[in-house]
Amino acid sequence: MGQNIREIREKRGYSQDELAVIMEVNRSTISKIENGKFSFSIDYLSKFSFFLDFDLTLLDNKI
């Protein structure tokens, strides 16, 4: 799932640093999520969905 989030972030033109500032988290958190090294909650998924402007169902087939 982290790889999917990375692809969406990159398509939207955000760096990890930029997204971290917008989401008010550390850049290392973004990196860990994208690399599958961080277990995250639905709250994080909701934040990604909101800030990157995508429907969570896009991830449904890949979870």
Side-chain angles (χ1 to χ4, degrees):
M1 186 179 330
Q3 179 62 35
N4 296 333
I5 291 171
R6 173 184 286 144
E7 290 172 11
I8 293 168
R9 174 184 58 77
E10 290 174 346
K11 285 180 184 176
R12 299 292 188 265
Y14 289 103
S15 69
Q16 287 183 345
D17 290 323
E18 291 169 326
L19 184 58
V21 168
I22 293 168
M23 290 182 61
E24 299 179 348
V25 299
N26 292 322
R27 190 211 49 84
S28 64
T29 301
I30 303 293
S31 177
K32 288 176 186 175
I33 288 171
E34 290 182 354
N35 289 301
K37 297 180 180 180
F38 185 86
S39 297
F40 54 95
S41 66
I42 190 69
D43 291 333
Y44 271 102
L45 280 177
S46 294
K47 281 185 172 185
F48 279 114
S49 174
F50 178 77
F51 291 115
L52 294 175
D53 190 30
F54 70 90
D55 187 336
L56 284 174
T57 60
L58 290 175
L59 301 177
D60 187 44
N61 294 333
K62 303 186 183 202
I63 295 176

